[in-house]
Amino acid sequence: MIDLYYWTTPNGHKITIFLEETGTPYKIIPINIGKGEQFKADFLAISPNNRIPALVDHAPKDGGKPISVFESGAMLVYLAEKTGQFLSSDLRKRTDAMQWLFWQMGGLGPMSGQNNHFSNYAVEKLPYAIDRYRNEVNRLYGVLNKRLADREFIAGEYSIADMASYPWVVPHERQGQKIDEFPHLKRWLDSIAARPAVVRAYDLAKKINPNQGGIRTPEERAILFGQTASSVDKAAGQAR
Ligand SMILES: N[C@@H](CCC(=O)N[C@@H](CS)C(=O)NCC(=O)O)C(=O)O
């Protein structure tokens, strides 16, 4: 049984997609990041970066004590290795999937996050920051669109590289992008959206957090934005 520490965001969806695709038994432990639950001591013990998602595997492959993993990319690799699914053991195919997984983790995810922040959340509308990140996401969508021009999925076969990128392309409108300008990306997006496991993963998110649609209240903003080392220490002290 996997304990999944989860909230209903793109990085969270990556893992529920994987678990649903493989039928791996899991228990959701909701971490409402708008309420500051990411600062609780038992969560920080497994996710010291105070970010979801994270997991604890109570039955690791080596038969030893439970293993905890944070960072969605590391979690996808861990789960792929545990189940033997969605990451080829062939050297070339594996390397291909891994480079695109890291591309998502280092590029598409962080840039989309900043784009969302400056376009949708920042009170002060800074044209330079808005343009910089919207353009960068546009460039990255273009890279993925080209990659998908001559193959069905990012690394040929459906893999953890697709599961990592998909949740960051779903909100293309919020990202200020016109999906019709990226026809191969659109085809890929539609085909993944139709997968029953993906439908289940997103339905689950709606059940856990019916108030989808981002950060709304001043309390949520205060918790999530402008975190520093000392504000995190203070929040962790209060959440104990
Ligand atoms: N690189 C991390 C990013 C995780 C991340 O940014 N999680 C956000 C939600 S999508 C979070 O937990 N935010 C809580 C906070 O900012 O305190 C991963 O891929 O797991």
Side-chain angles (χ1 to χ4, degrees):
M1 174 66 96
I2 301 278
D3 284 344
L4 176 63
Y5 293 77
Y6 163 89
W7 197 238
T8 55
T9 70
N11 289 317
H13 299 321
K14 294 174 187 177
I15 312 301
T16 46
I17 291 174
F18 184 95
L19 294 166
E20 289 294 334
E21 289 284 7
T22 51
T24 306
Y26 67 103
K27 184 174 98 194
I28 293 266
I29 299 170
I31 300 291
N32 186 332
I33 59 173
K35 290 208 171 119
E37 292 175 0
Q38 68 274 39
F39 301 116
K40 286 192 176 156
D42 51 351
F43 179 65
L44 287 174
I46 61 162
S47 185
N49 194 37
N50 65 270
R51 298 278 188 274
I52 64 93
L55 66 76
V56 176
D57 180 2
H58 293 279
K61 247 181 153 176
D62 65 1
K65 60 183 178 47
I67 291 181
S68 68
V69 191
F70 70 101
E71 278 294 321
S72 59
M75 293 165 72
L76 286 171
V77 173
Y78 179 84
L79 291 169
E81 287 175 346
K82 178 182 174 70
T83 59
Q85 293 184 72
F86 300 117
L87 179 61
S88 176
S89 52
D90 172 86
L91 174 67
R92 284 153 211 279
K93 290 184 184 172
R94 180 184 166 89
T95 304
D96 209 15
M98 289 292 265
Q99 70 185 348
W100 283 97
L101 175 67
F102 275 69
W103 173 87
Q104 189 288 318
M105 293 300 299
L108 184 64
M111 295 305 125
S112 303
Q114 296 304 320
N115 188 26
N116 193 26
H117 185 86
F118 285 108
S119 286
N120 301 318
Y121 291 140
V123 176
E124 200 184 340
K125 294 294 173 215
L126 300 167
Y128 182 86
I130 292 171
D131 289 351
R132 172 176 165 80
Y133 291 109
R134 189 188 290 137
N135 289 345
E136 179 61 359
V137 171
N138 187 270
R139 185 187 72 80
L140 292 163
Y141 275 28
V143 170
L144 204 46
N145 187 55
K146 278 197 199 101
R147 174 70 186 176
L148 290 163
D150 60 354
R151 71 204 84 212
E152 194 177 356
F153 295 107
I154 297 175
E157 292 153 16
Y158 185 54
S159 75
I160 55 174
D162 300 289
M163 297 178 201
S165 281
Y166 172 79
W168 289 102
V169 183
V170 170
H172 49 84
E173 280 174 27
R174 229 178 132 68
Q175 289 289 324
Q177 308 300 327
K178 296 191 180 90
I179 197 71
D180 291 333
E181 289 174 4
F182 305 102
H184 309 297
L185 189 61
K186 186 173 189 310
R187 186 260 311 147
W188 169 87
L189 188 72
D190 291 344
S191 91
I192 296 179
R195 294 179 72 92
V198 174
V199 173
R200 286 198 298 277
Y202 279 78
D203 282 350
L204 181 79
K206 275 184 239 146
K207 228 182 280 165
I208 290 176
N209 178 16
N211 279 327
Q212 299 278 319
I215 296 131
R216 299 166 312 279
T217 65
E219 290 76 21
E220 287 174 331
R221 301 176 67 86
I223 286 167
L224 289 166
F225 302 151
Q227 293 175 3
T228 62
S230 61
S231 74
V232 165
D233 287 347
K234 199 169 147 224
Q238 285 164 354
R240 216 167 295 226

